[in-house]
Amino acid sequence: NAQEPQKLDLKQALEMGLKNNQSILASELDTKMQTQLQKTAFDIPKTEITGVFGQINSQAQDKNFGISQSFNPFQISAKRNLLKENSNMSNTKLLVSKQEISYSIKQAWNALLYYEKQNTVLEKQNVIMQKFVKSANLKFQTGETNTLEKTIALAKQQELEQKIKQNKTKIAIEKSKLKVVLDLKNDFFVSDTTFVAFPVVNNIDTTMVKQNPIVQLANQQVQVAQANHKVEKSALFPDISLGYFIQSITGYQDVNGTPTYYNNSPQFQGFSVGLAVPLFAGSNIAKAKAAKTNMEREQKNADYVTQQFKSYLEQQLEQLETYQSLVQYYKVTALPNANLIIKNATKSYQNGDISYVEYVQSIETASEIQLNYNDAIYNFNQTVITIQYSINQ
């Protein structure tokens, strides 16, 4: 059954996105998996159990049972550290996913309100243009004017309707984007349609990009590369093996000068200690060198990512000043002028001081100012959103 569209404001949309988005849920599972993998640090080879049967010590049939274990104590700590860094990196990736989703929601939300606000202005203008078309038709029918005025009126009014349709399509597209990001099955509508400039962002400098999860992820990848380098180096250290055996000896044995007979039961014990030395370590040495090169590469990449975000933030802050000045101009000067144009044009037309054509031209001018004001707010807000994205706010 069809369900009623859901009411949403931006805060609710952000909460829903961070809770339901499939990308975030996948990142949370990856974080869980990396946490589980930390328990695999103490990963030693399988224990070897052996049995030897036959003429071990003499013509008699004897048996020897042994158990041995090899391990590299130098690798355990290195692997534990690598798994810990991988887990930390997974947590940072989760923060990146949340940041990207919040950024997408804010951008789409701003665009949604912008297109709806544009249509509000255009629809008001369209009402006036429809009256203009009727007036031009009436004049044409009574012979007061030629077909040119009628054609121009109709063309302008139809162009307006096309712009309204285009904006409605864009609204539908932004809603579709949001439904995917929010994992929302049903339709929704915006409960708060107020379209205003966001509060001005203050006290921001380029050092704040270190708060960005993408920058943190690049630095975390350096930590992972360093940990991996230590793991590869630890493979160059020898493995230690420990063993224990128990065996039988059948026959007489001289014990303190006294011949003593031993049956076939295992009762002679011993232990072994060994080292597995990497004599042919060319492959491991090459892996360690490659891991070191990768560590240097990740550091260069982290430095580059940081510089990119710093430069991008500087550009956005400069752009913000431009848009802020533009918004202020429209708010203080242009919009009051537009309202004055509408007021005076309406009054003059009602008093018969101007023609309908002049009246419509005046309304078009005022509407263009209002549309440009909306453009300025949209660009200002998108820049604020981008700055918040850069510093993870």
Side-chain angles (χ1 to χ4, degrees), residues 103 107 204-206 209 212 214-215 304-320 382-391:
Y103 183 52
Q107 281 194 315
I204 291 178
D205 58 70
T206 56
V209 299
N212 189 294
I214 296 177
V215 174
Y304 178 66
V305 169
T306 302
Q307 289 302 319
Q308 268 192 320
F309 269 96
K310 285 183 177 180
S311 175
Y312 188 59
L313 180 58
E314 287 177 349
Q315 296 169 25
Q316 293 301 309
L317 289 172
E318 291 176 0
Q319 193 69 61
L320 185 67
Q382 290 292 77
T383 305
V384 171
I385 291 169
T386 303
I387 290 173
Q388 290 174 340
Y389 168 80
S390 299
I391 60 176

PDB file of all heavy atoms in Angstrom, residues 103 107 204-206 209 212 214-215 304-320 382-391:
ATOM      1  N   TYR A 103      28.179  15.379   3.562  1.00  0.00           N
ATOM      2  CA  TYR A 103      28.460  16.359   2.517  1.00  0.00           C
ATOM      3  C   TYR A 103      27.438  16.245   1.381  1.00  0.00           C
ATOM      4  O   TYR A 103      26.890  17.255   0.909  1.00  0.00           O
ATOM      5  CB  TYR A 103      29.877  16.139   1.996  1.00  0.00           C
ATOM      6  CG  TYR A 103      30.340  17.117   0.951  1.00  0.00           C
ATOM      7  CD1 TYR A 103      30.256  18.493   1.151  1.00  0.00           C
ATOM      8  CD2 TYR A 103      30.910  16.666  -0.240  1.00  0.00           C
ATOM      9  CE1 TYR A 103      30.707  19.386   0.200  1.00  0.00           C
ATOM     10  CE2 TYR A 103      31.361  17.553  -1.197  1.00  0.00           C
ATOM     11  CZ  TYR A 103      31.260  18.911  -0.979  1.00  0.00           C
ATOM     12  OH  TYR A 103      31.701  19.790  -1.932  1.00  0.00           O
ATOM     13  N   GLN A 107      24.639  19.149   0.370  1.00  0.00           N
ATOM     14  CA  GLN A 107      24.654  19.713  -0.978  1.00  0.00           C
ATOM     15  C   GLN A 107      23.307  19.526  -1.669  1.00  0.00           C
ATOM     16  O   GLN A 107      22.756  20.467  -2.260  1.00  0.00           O
ATOM     17  CB  GLN A 107      25.757  19.065  -1.812  1.00  0.00           C
ATOM     18  CG  GLN A 107      27.146  19.609  -1.545  1.00  0.00           C
ATOM     19  CD  GLN A 107      28.127  19.180  -2.611  1.00  0.00           C
ATOM     20  OE1 GLN A 107      28.160  18.026  -3.019  1.00  0.00           O
ATOM     21  NE2 GLN A 107      28.944  20.107  -3.079  1.00  0.00           N
ATOM     22  N   ILE A 204      38.728  30.481  10.700  1.00  0.00           N
ATOM     23  CA  ILE A 204      39.154  29.261  10.015  1.00  0.00           C
ATOM     24  C   ILE A 204      40.493  29.521   9.341  1.00  0.00           C
ATOM     25  O   ILE A 204      40.691  30.551   8.694  1.00  0.00           O
ATOM     26  CB  ILE A 204      38.110  28.824   8.974  1.00  0.00           C
ATOM     27  CG1 ILE A 204      36.841  28.338   9.685  1.00  0.00           C
ATOM     28  CG2 ILE A 204      38.654  27.705   8.092  1.00  0.00           C
ATOM     29  CD1 ILE A 204      35.750  27.925   8.754  1.00  0.00           C
ATOM     30  N   ASP A 205      41.432  28.587   9.518  1.00  0.00           N
ATOM     31  CA  ASP A 205      42.702  28.684   8.808  1.00  0.00           C
ATOM     32  C   ASP A 205      43.070  27.309   8.271  1.00  0.00           C
ATOM     33  O   ASP A 205      42.437  26.293   8.599  1.00  0.00           O
ATOM     34  CB  ASP A 205      43.811  29.230   9.707  1.00  0.00           C
ATOM     35  CG  ASP A 205      44.017  28.372  10.944  1.00  0.00           C
ATOM     36  OD1 ASP A 205      44.514  27.243  10.800  1.00  0.00           O
ATOM     37  OD2 ASP A 205      43.656  28.818  12.055  1.00  0.00           O
ATOM     38  N   THR A 206      44.118  27.269   7.456  1.00  0.00           N
ATOM     39  CA  THR A 206      44.457  26.036   6.736  1.00  0.00           C
ATOM     40  C   THR A 206      44.949  24.920   7.650  1.00  0.00           C
ATOM     41  O   THR A 206      44.937  23.751   7.249  1.00  0.00           O
ATOM     42  CB  THR A 206      45.527  26.331   5.676  1.00  0.00           C
ATOM     43  OG1 THR A 206      46.667  26.937   6.298  1.00  0.00           O
ATOM     44  CG2 THR A 206      44.982  27.273   4.611  1.00  0.00           C
ATOM     45  N   VAL A 209      42.671  21.704   8.363  1.00  0.00           N
ATOM     46  CA  VAL A 209      42.421  20.574   7.457  1.00  0.00           C
ATOM     47  C   VAL A 209      42.868  19.255   8.078  1.00  0.00           C
ATOM     48  O   VAL A 209      42.461  18.178   7.623  1.00  0.00           O
ATOM     49  CB  VAL A 209      43.122  20.773   6.092  1.00  0.00           C
ATOM     50  CG1 VAL A 209      42.613  22.017   5.393  1.00  0.00           C
ATOM     51  CG2 VAL A 209      44.636  20.816   6.243  1.00  0.00           C
ATOM     52  N   ASN A 212      40.216  16.862   8.856  1.00  0.00           N
ATOM     53  CA  ASN A 212      39.500  16.179   7.781  1.00  0.00           C
ATOM     54  C   ASN A 212      39.859  14.687   7.778  1.00  0.00           C
ATOM     55  O   ASN A 212      41.044  14.332   7.752  1.00  0.00           O
ATOM     56  CB  ASN A 212      39.877  16.806   6.441  1.00  0.00           C
ATOM     57  CG  ASN A 212      39.018  16.289   5.304  1.00  0.00           C
ATOM     58  OD1 ASN A 212      39.085  15.119   4.957  1.00  0.00           O
ATOM     59  ND2 ASN A 212      38.218  17.158   4.728  1.00  0.00           N
ATOM     60  N   ILE A 214      39.832  12.541   5.479  1.00  0.00           N
ATOM     61  CA  ILE A 214      40.610  12.115   4.311  1.00  0.00           C
ATOM     62  C   ILE A 214      42.090  12.388   4.537  1.00  0.00           C
ATOM     63  O   ILE A 214      42.955  11.571   4.191  1.00  0.00           O
ATOM     64  CB  ILE A 214      40.106  12.834   3.038  1.00  0.00           C
ATOM     65  CG1 ILE A 214      38.671  12.420   2.741  1.00  0.00           C
ATOM     66  CG2 ILE A 214      41.000  12.519   1.847  1.00  0.00           C
ATOM     67  CD1 ILE A 214      38.052  13.116   1.555  1.00  0.00           C
ATOM     68  N   VAL A 215      42.402  13.535   5.140  1.00  0.00           N
ATOM     69  CA  VAL A 215      43.792  13.837   5.509  1.00  0.00           C
ATOM     70  C   VAL A 215      44.272  12.851   6.580  1.00  0.00           C
ATOM     71  O   VAL A 215      45.394  12.334   6.511  1.00  0.00           O
ATOM     72  CB  VAL A 215      43.904  15.292   6.018  1.00  0.00           C
ATOM     73  CG1 VAL A 215      45.313  15.574   6.538  1.00  0.00           C
ATOM     74  CG2 VAL A 215      43.552  16.278   4.910  1.00  0.00           C
ATOM     75  N   TYR A 304      50.985  15.401   0.049  1.00  0.00           N
ATOM     76  CA  TYR A 304      50.295  15.986  -1.110  1.00  0.00           C
ATOM     77  C   TYR A 304      48.810  16.211  -0.807  1.00  0.00           C
ATOM     78  O   TYR A 304      48.252  17.268  -1.129  1.00  0.00           O
ATOM     79  CB  TYR A 304      50.445  15.072  -2.315  1.00  0.00           C
ATOM     80  CG  TYR A 304      49.729  15.559  -3.552  1.00  0.00           C
ATOM     81  CD1 TYR A 304      50.120  16.728  -4.199  1.00  0.00           C
ATOM     82  CD2 TYR A 304      48.651  14.837  -4.076  1.00  0.00           C
ATOM     83  CE1 TYR A 304      49.465  17.175  -5.323  1.00  0.00           C
ATOM     84  CE2 TYR A 304      47.984  15.287  -5.204  1.00  0.00           C
ATOM     85  CZ  TYR A 304      48.400  16.452  -5.819  1.00  0.00           C
ATOM     86  OH  TYR A 304      47.736  16.896  -6.936  1.00  0.00           O
ATOM     87  N   VAL A 305      48.190  15.225  -0.164  1.00  0.00           N
ATOM     88  CA  VAL A 305      46.767  15.355   0.183  1.00  0.00           C
ATOM     89  C   VAL A 305      46.563  16.531   1.128  1.00  0.00           C
ATOM     90  O   VAL A 305      45.618  17.321   0.969  1.00  0.00           O
ATOM     91  CB  VAL A 305      46.247  14.042   0.817  1.00  0.00           C
ATOM     92  CG1 VAL A 305      44.863  14.245   1.417  1.00  0.00           C
ATOM     93  CG2 VAL A 305      46.193  12.935  -0.216  1.00  0.00           C
ATOM     94  N   THR A 306      47.447  16.667   2.101  1.00  0.00           N
ATOM     95  CA  THR A 306      47.341  17.781   3.048  1.00  0.00           C
ATOM     96  C   THR A 306      47.471  19.125   2.330  1.00  0.00           C
ATOM     97  O   THR A 306      46.682  20.048   2.571  1.00  0.00           O
ATOM     98  CB  THR A 306      48.422  17.668   4.134  1.00  0.00           C
ATOM     99  OG1 THR A 306      48.283  16.417   4.813  1.00  0.00           O
ATOM    100  CG2 THR A 306      48.297  18.794   5.151  1.00  0.00           C
ATOM    101  N   GLN A 307      48.462  19.230   1.445  1.00  0.00           N
ATOM    102  CA  GLN A 307      48.656  20.474   0.708  1.00  0.00           C
ATOM    103  C   GLN A 307      47.472  20.771  -0.210  1.00  0.00           C
ATOM    104  O   GLN A 307      47.067  21.929  -0.373  1.00  0.00           O
ATOM    105  CB  GLN A 307      49.944  20.396  -0.121  1.00  0.00           C
ATOM    106  CG  GLN A 307      51.215  20.439   0.709  1.00  0.00           C
ATOM    107  CD  GLN A 307      51.304  21.700   1.570  1.00  0.00           C
ATOM    108  OE1 GLN A 307      50.964  22.802   1.143  1.00  0.00           O
ATOM    109  NE2 GLN A 307      51.768  21.526   2.806  1.00  0.00           N
ATOM    110  N   GLN A 308      46.915  19.724  -0.801  1.00  0.00           N
ATOM    111  CA  GLN A 308      45.733  19.900  -1.654  1.00  0.00           C
ATOM    112  C   GLN A 308      44.580  20.511  -0.878  1.00  0.00           C
ATOM    113  O   GLN A 308      43.933  21.461  -1.343  1.00  0.00           O
ATOM    114  CB  GLN A 308      45.305  18.546  -2.244  1.00  0.00           C
ATOM    115  CG  GLN A 308      45.910  18.229  -3.594  1.00  0.00           C
ATOM    116  CD  GLN A 308      45.217  17.043  -4.222  1.00  0.00           C
ATOM    117  OE1 GLN A 308      44.877  16.061  -3.547  1.00  0.00           O
ATOM    118  NE2 GLN A 308      44.989  17.101  -5.514  1.00  0.00           N
ATOM    119  N   PHE A 309      44.307  19.958   0.294  1.00  0.00           N
ATOM    120  CA  PHE A 309      43.188  20.456   1.100  1.00  0.00           C
ATOM    121  C   PHE A 309      43.452  21.867   1.607  1.00  0.00           C
ATOM    122  O   PHE A 309      42.535  22.680   1.683  1.00  0.00           O
ATOM    123  CB  PHE A 309      42.900  19.505   2.260  1.00  0.00           C
ATOM    124  CG  PHE A 309      41.887  18.449   1.935  1.00  0.00           C
ATOM    125  CD1 PHE A 309      42.272  17.191   1.532  1.00  0.00           C
ATOM    126  CD2 PHE A 309      40.528  18.726   2.011  1.00  0.00           C
ATOM    127  CE1 PHE A 309      41.336  16.225   1.206  1.00  0.00           C
ATOM    128  CE2 PHE A 309      39.583  17.768   1.689  1.00  0.00           C
ATOM    129  CZ  PHE A 309      39.989  16.511   1.289  1.00  0.00           C
ATOM    130  N   LYS A 310      44.702  22.159   1.947  1.00  0.00           N
ATOM    131  CA  LYS A 310      45.029  23.508   2.384  1.00  0.00           C
ATOM    132  C   LYS A 310      44.791  24.508   1.264  1.00  0.00           C
ATOM    133  O   LYS A 310      44.192  25.576   1.470  1.00  0.00           O
ATOM    134  CB  LYS A 310      46.481  23.575   2.852  1.00  0.00           C
ATOM    135  CG  LYS A 310      46.730  22.952   4.222  1.00  0.00           C
ATOM    136  CD  LYS A 310      48.176  23.133   4.642  1.00  0.00           C
ATOM    137  CE  LYS A 310      48.401  22.571   6.052  1.00  0.00           C
ATOM    138  NZ  LYS A 310      49.807  22.744   6.485  1.00  0.00           N
ATOM    139  N   SER A 311      45.275  24.170   0.071  1.00  0.00           N
ATOM    140  CA  SER A 311      45.092  25.055  -1.089  1.00  0.00           C
ATOM    141  C   SER A 311      43.616  25.208  -1.426  1.00  0.00           C
ATOM    142  O   SER A 311      43.138  26.316  -1.706  1.00  0.00           O
ATOM    143  CB  SER A 311      45.860  24.494  -2.286  1.00  0.00           C
ATOM    144  OG  SER A 311      45.621  25.262  -3.446  1.00  0.00           O
ATOM    145  N   TYR A 312      42.891  24.088  -1.397  1.00  0.00           N
ATOM    146  CA  TYR A 312      41.461  24.117  -1.719  1.00  0.00           C
ATOM    147  C   TYR A 312      40.692  24.961  -0.701  1.00  0.00           C
ATOM    148  O   TYR A 312      39.795  25.729  -1.064  1.00  0.00           O
ATOM    149  CB  TYR A 312      40.926  22.691  -1.746  1.00  0.00           C
ATOM    150  CG  TYR A 312      39.506  22.566  -2.249  1.00  0.00           C
ATOM    151  CD1 TYR A 312      39.158  23.002  -3.524  1.00  0.00           C
ATOM    152  CD2 TYR A 312      38.518  22.011  -1.443  1.00  0.00           C
ATOM    153  CE1 TYR A 312      37.859  22.883  -3.990  1.00  0.00           C
ATOM    154  CE2 TYR A 312      37.222  21.894  -1.899  1.00  0.00           C
ATOM    155  CZ  TYR A 312      36.897  22.321  -3.170  1.00  0.00           C
ATOM    156  OH  TYR A 312      35.607  22.214  -3.625  1.00  0.00           O
ATOM    157  N   LEU A 313      41.080  24.832   0.579  1.00  0.00           N
ATOM    158  CA  LEU A 313      40.416  25.614   1.626  1.00  0.00           C
ATOM    159  C   LEU A 313      40.676  27.107   1.425  1.00  0.00           C
ATOM    160  O   LEU A 313      39.760  27.930   1.591  1.00  0.00           O
ATOM    161  CB  LEU A 313      40.893  25.167   2.999  1.00  0.00           C
ATOM    162  CG  LEU A 313      40.284  25.893   4.210  1.00  0.00           C
ATOM    163  CD1 LEU A 313      38.767  25.770   4.216  1.00  0.00           C
ATOM    164  CD2 LEU A 313      40.868  25.355   5.515  1.00  0.00           C
ATOM    165  N   GLU A 314      41.898  27.455   1.083  1.00  0.00           N
ATOM    166  CA  GLU A 314      42.214  28.860   0.807  1.00  0.00           C
ATOM    167  C   GLU A 314      41.351  29.402  -0.324  1.00  0.00           C
ATOM    168  O   GLU A 314      40.821  30.517  -0.246  1.00  0.00           O
ATOM    169  CB  GLU A 314      43.698  29.001   0.451  1.00  0.00           C
ATOM    170  CG  GLU A 314      44.640  28.846   1.637  1.00  0.00           C
ATOM    171  CD  GLU A 314      46.100  28.926   1.215  1.00  0.00           C
ATOM    172  OE1 GLU A 314      46.367  28.893  -0.004  1.00  0.00           O
ATOM    173  OE2 GLU A 314      46.971  29.019   2.100  1.00  0.00           O
ATOM    174  N   GLN A 315      41.200  28.609  -1.380  1.00  0.00           N
ATOM    175  CA  GLN A 315      40.379  29.031  -2.523  1.00  0.00           C
ATOM    176  C   GLN A 315      38.925  29.227  -2.107  1.00  0.00           C
ATOM    177  O   GLN A 315      38.282  30.195  -2.506  1.00  0.00           O
ATOM    178  CB  GLN A 315      40.467  27.988  -3.641  1.00  0.00           C
ATOM    179  CG  GLN A 315      41.848  27.820  -4.240  1.00  0.00           C
ATOM    180  CD  GLN A 315      41.933  26.614  -5.145  1.00  0.00           C
ATOM    181  OE1 GLN A 315      40.927  26.154  -5.699  1.00  0.00           O
ATOM    182  NE2 GLN A 315      43.122  26.072  -5.304  1.00  0.00           N
ATOM    183  N   GLN A 316      38.416  28.295  -1.289  1.00  0.00           N
ATOM    184  CA  GLN A 316      37.022  28.376  -0.866  1.00  0.00           C
ATOM    185  C   GLN A 316      36.786  29.574   0.059  1.00  0.00           C
ATOM    186  O   GLN A 316      35.744  30.222  -0.011  1.00  0.00           O
ATOM    187  CB  GLN A 316      36.602  27.076  -0.165  1.00  0.00           C
ATOM    188  CG  GLN A 316      36.552  25.869  -1.081  1.00  0.00           C
ATOM    189  CD  GLN A 316      35.594  26.060  -2.232  1.00  0.00           C
ATOM    190  OE1 GLN A 316      34.433  26.433  -2.035  1.00  0.00           O
ATOM    191  NE2 GLN A 316      36.061  25.806  -3.448  1.00  0.00           N
ATOM    192  N   LEU A 317      37.746  29.878   0.903  1.00  0.00           N
ATOM    193  CA  LEU A 317      37.613  31.032   1.791  1.00  0.00           C
ATOM    194  C   LEU A 317      37.602  32.339   0.992  1.00  0.00           C
ATOM    195  O   LEU A 317      36.845  33.269   1.304  1.00  0.00           O
ATOM    196  CB  LEU A 317      38.754  31.051   2.811  1.00  0.00           C
ATOM    197  CG  LEU A 317      38.698  29.967   3.904  1.00  0.00           C
ATOM    198  CD1 LEU A 317      39.975  29.967   4.730  1.00  0.00           C
ATOM    199  CD2 LEU A 317      37.477  30.146   4.802  1.00  0.00           C
ATOM    200  N   GLU A 318      38.435  32.409  -0.051  1.00  0.00           N
ATOM    201  CA  GLU A 318      38.420  33.584  -0.921  1.00  0.00           C
ATOM    202  C   GLU A 318      37.101  33.687  -1.674  1.00  0.00           C
ATOM    203  O   GLU A 318      36.529  34.769  -1.828  1.00  0.00           O
ATOM    204  CB  GLU A 318      39.589  33.517  -1.905  1.00  0.00           C
ATOM    205  CG  GLU A 318      40.954  33.696  -1.252  1.00  0.00           C
ATOM    206  CD  GLU A 318      42.093  33.520  -2.233  1.00  0.00           C
ATOM    207  OE1 GLU A 318      41.811  33.258  -3.419  1.00  0.00           O
ATOM    208  OE2 GLU A 318      43.262  33.643  -1.815  1.00  0.00           O
ATOM    209  N   GLN A 319      36.624  32.514  -2.148  1.00  0.00           N
ATOM    210  CA  GLN A 319      35.352  32.490  -2.868  1.00  0.00           C
ATOM    211  C   GLN A 319      34.203  32.891  -1.954  1.00  0.00           C
ATOM    212  O   GLN A 319      33.256  33.569  -2.372  1.00  0.00           O
ATOM    213  CB  GLN A 319      35.108  31.083  -3.429  1.00  0.00           C
ATOM    214  CG  GLN A 319      33.991  30.989  -4.457  1.00  0.00           C
ATOM    215  CD  GLN A 319      34.356  31.671  -5.754  1.00  0.00           C
ATOM    216  OE1 GLN A 319      35.304  31.301  -6.418  1.00  0.00           O
ATOM    217  NE2 GLN A 319      33.592  32.677  -6.122  1.00  0.00           N
ATOM    218  N   LEU A 320      34.302  32.490  -0.696  1.00  0.00           N
ATOM    219  CA  LEU A 320      33.253  32.804   0.262  1.00  0.00           C
ATOM    220  C   LEU A 320      33.122  34.316   0.440  1.00  0.00           C
ATOM    221  O   LEU A 320      31.999  34.837   0.543  1.00  0.00           O
ATOM    222  CB  LEU A 320      33.560  32.135   1.606  1.00  0.00           C
ATOM    223  CG  LEU A 320      32.481  32.271   2.679  1.00  0.00           C
ATOM    224  CD1 LEU A 320      31.232  31.503   2.277  1.00  0.00           C
ATOM    225  CD2 LEU A 320      32.989  31.778   4.026  1.00  0.00           C
ATOM    226  N   GLN A 382      26.723  26.632  -0.765  1.00  0.00           N
ATOM    227  CA  GLN A 382      27.531  25.516  -1.237  1.00  0.00           C
ATOM    228  C   GLN A 382      28.993  25.696  -0.828  1.00  0.00           C
ATOM    229  O   GLN A 382      29.673  24.726  -0.497  1.00  0.00           O
ATOM    230  CB  GLN A 382      27.435  25.407  -2.764  1.00  0.00           C
ATOM    231  CG  GLN A 382      26.078  24.937  -3.284  1.00  0.00           C
ATOM    232  CD  GLN A 382      25.767  23.497  -2.930  1.00  0.00           C
ATOM    233  OE1 GLN A 382      25.402  23.181  -1.786  1.00  0.00           O
ATOM    234  NE2 GLN A 382      25.877  22.608  -3.894  1.00  0.00           N
ATOM    235  N   THR A 383      29.454  26.935  -0.847  1.00  0.00           N
ATOM    236  CA  THR A 383      30.833  27.199  -0.433  1.00  0.00           C
ATOM    237  C   THR A 383      31.008  26.944   1.055  1.00  0.00           C
ATOM    238  O   THR A 383      32.019  26.365   1.487  1.00  0.00           O
ATOM    239  CB  THR A 383      31.217  28.652  -0.769  1.00  0.00           C
ATOM    240  OG1 THR A 383      30.984  28.899  -2.161  1.00  0.00           O
ATOM    241  CG2 THR A 383      32.689  28.910  -0.465  1.00  0.00           C
ATOM    242  N   VAL A 384      30.030  27.356   1.873  1.00  0.00           N
ATOM    243  CA  VAL A 384      30.086  27.080   3.317  1.00  0.00           C
ATOM    244  C   VAL A 384      30.105  25.573   3.571  1.00  0.00           C
ATOM    245  O   VAL A 384      30.884  25.072   4.395  1.00  0.00           O
ATOM    246  CB  VAL A 384      28.881  27.724   4.040  1.00  0.00           C
ATOM    247  CG1 VAL A 384      28.811  27.256   5.496  1.00  0.00           C
ATOM    248  CG2 VAL A 384      28.974  29.243   3.987  1.00  0.00           C
ATOM    249  N   ILE A 385      29.265  24.837   2.831  1.00  0.00           N
ATOM    250  CA  ILE A 385      29.211  23.373   2.975  1.00  0.00           C
ATOM    251  C   ILE A 385      30.559  22.755   2.626  1.00  0.00           C
ATOM    252  O   ILE A 385      31.036  21.839   3.303  1.00  0.00           O
ATOM    253  CB  ILE A 385      28.094  22.795   2.076  1.00  0.00           C
ATOM    254  CG1 ILE A 385      26.722  23.208   2.611  1.00  0.00           C
ATOM    255  CG2 ILE A 385      28.191  21.272   2.008  1.00  0.00           C
ATOM    256  CD1 ILE A 385      25.577  22.902   1.653  1.00  0.00           C
ATOM    257  N   THR A 386      31.178  23.253   1.560  1.00  0.00           N
ATOM    258  CA  THR A 386      32.479  22.732   1.139  1.00  0.00           C
ATOM    259  C   THR A 386      33.569  23.030   2.171  1.00  0.00           C
ATOM    260  O   THR A 386      34.434  22.203   2.443  1.00  0.00           O
ATOM    261  CB  THR A 386      32.876  23.326  -0.223  1.00  0.00           C
ATOM    262  OG1 THR A 386      31.863  23.030  -1.185  1.00  0.00           O
ATOM    263  CG2 THR A 386      34.206  22.744  -0.703  1.00  0.00           C
ATOM    264  N   ILE A 387      33.512  24.229   2.761  1.00  0.00           N
ATOM    265  CA  ILE A 387      34.472  24.582   3.808  1.00  0.00           C
ATOM    266  C   ILE A 387      34.278  23.679   5.033  1.00  0.00           C
ATOM    267  O   ILE A 387      35.249  23.176   5.626  1.00  0.00           O
ATOM    268  CB  ILE A 387      34.320  26.066   4.196  1.00  0.00           C
ATOM    269  CG1 ILE A 387      34.816  26.955   3.047  1.00  0.00           C
ATOM    270  CG2 ILE A 387      35.103  26.382   5.476  1.00  0.00           C
ATOM    271  CD1 ILE A 387      34.548  28.426   3.253  1.00  0.00           C
ATOM    272  N   GLN A 388      33.028  23.451   5.405  1.00  0.00           N
ATOM    273  CA  GLN A 388      32.741  22.539   6.522  1.00  0.00           C
ATOM    274  C   GLN A 388      33.251  21.135   6.216  1.00  0.00           C
ATOM    275  O   GLN A 388      33.772  20.453   7.105  1.00  0.00           O
ATOM    276  CB  GLN A 388      31.228  22.513   6.781  1.00  0.00           C
ATOM    277  CG  GLN A 388      30.677  23.803   7.364  1.00  0.00           C
ATOM    278  CD  GLN A 388      29.156  23.795   7.462  1.00  0.00           C
ATOM    279  OE1 GLN A 388      28.471  23.020   6.784  1.00  0.00           O
ATOM    280  NE2 GLN A 388      28.623  24.638   8.319  1.00  0.00           N
ATOM    281  N   TYR A 389      33.123  20.730   4.969  1.00  0.00           N
ATOM    282  CA  TYR A 389      33.637  19.423   4.544  1.00  0.00           C
ATOM    283  C   TYR A 389      35.158  19.366   4.680  1.00  0.00           C
ATOM    284  O   TYR A 389      35.714  18.371   5.144  1.00  0.00           O
ATOM    285  CB  TYR A 389      33.216  19.176   3.092  1.00  0.00           C
ATOM    286  CG  TYR A 389      33.891  18.013   2.417  1.00  0.00           C
ATOM    287  CD1 TYR A 389      33.466  16.711   2.646  1.00  0.00           C
ATOM    288  CD2 TYR A 389      34.954  18.207   1.546  1.00  0.00           C
ATOM    289  CE1 TYR A 389      34.071  15.633   2.018  1.00  0.00           C
ATOM    290  CE2 TYR A 389      35.571  17.140   0.914  1.00  0.00           C
ATOM    291  CZ  TYR A 389      35.131  15.861   1.158  1.00  0.00           C
ATOM    292  OH  TYR A 389      35.748  14.805   0.540  1.00  0.00           O
ATOM    293  N   SER A 390      35.825  20.459   4.307  1.00  0.00           N
ATOM    294  CA  SER A 390      37.289  20.496   4.333  1.00  0.00           C
ATOM    295  C   SER A 390      37.839  20.404   5.737  1.00  0.00           C
ATOM    296  O   SER A 390      38.919  19.834   5.951  1.00  0.00           O
ATOM    297  CB  SER A 390      37.805  21.774   3.656  1.00  0.00           C
ATOM    298  OG  SER A 390      37.398  21.829   2.303  1.00  0.00           O
ATOM    299  N   ILE A 391      37.112  20.941   6.718  1.00  0.00           N
ATOM    300  CA  ILE A 391      37.612  20.952   8.105  1.00  0.00           C
ATOM    301  C   ILE A 391      36.794  20.032   9.005  1.00  0.00           C
ATOM    302  O   ILE A 391      36.916  20.070  10.230  1.00  0.00           O
ATOM    303  CB  ILE A 391      37.637  22.380   8.679  1.00  0.00           C
ATOM    304  CG1 ILE A 391      36.228  22.989   8.675  1.00  0.00           C
ATOM    305  CG2 ILE A 391      38.589  23.261   7.883  1.00  0.00           C
ATOM    306  CD1 ILE A 391      36.151  24.373   9.314  1.00  0.00           C
TER     307      ILE A 391
END
